[in-house]
Amino acid sequence: MAAQTERSFPIAGVCGIPVTAKAVSLNVTVTAPSADGYVRLFPAGAPVSLTSALNYRAAQTRANNNLAGLGTGGQITVRCDQPAGSVHVIIDANGYFE
């Protein structure tokens, strides 16, 4: 993901998560960040979360567990907050709530 961008990902209805899911348990990993930063997770279509899901330093690979509500179309939005450059974000769903 590029710095200062958002991207939405479909979660409900894929990879064993039912379309009736309201929230998910996730493991979020960042790798190869080009600068210090953090990512935020929030329901698609909702205002940007004020809380970071994972903070990192340049060149670190880090992971963290998160709970995230699902928004529009059963999606979550990930926002990358770092001053410049990019980071790779990996999202693994490991459970859901109905």
Side-chain angles (χ1 to χ4, degrees), residues 1-9 40 42 46 48 77-80:
M1 290 185 69
Q4 304 302 317
T5 63
E6 296 176 3
R7 183 169 175 199
S8 293
F9 297 91
R40 296 187 261 179
F42 53 97
V48 177
T77 299
V78 179
R79 176 167 174 82
C80 171

Side-chain angles (χ1 to χ4, degrees), residues 30-93:
V30 295
T31 189
S34 58
D36 295 358
Y38 56 96
V39 293
R40 296 187 261 179
L41 302 176
F42 53 97
V48 177
S49 172
L50 299 177
T51 306
S52 67
L54 178 61
N55 302 323
Y56 53 86
R57 296 233 178 245
Q60 275 189 326
T61 297
R62 297 204 58 202
N64 196 24
N65 291 315
N66 288 271
L67 297 176
L70 298 177
T72 307
Q75 298 184 54
I76 61 165
T77 299
V78 179
R79 176 167 174 82
C80 171
D81 285 302
Q82 65 184 54
S86 64
V87 63
H88 296 281
V89 179
I90 303 162
I91 301 170
D92 294 305

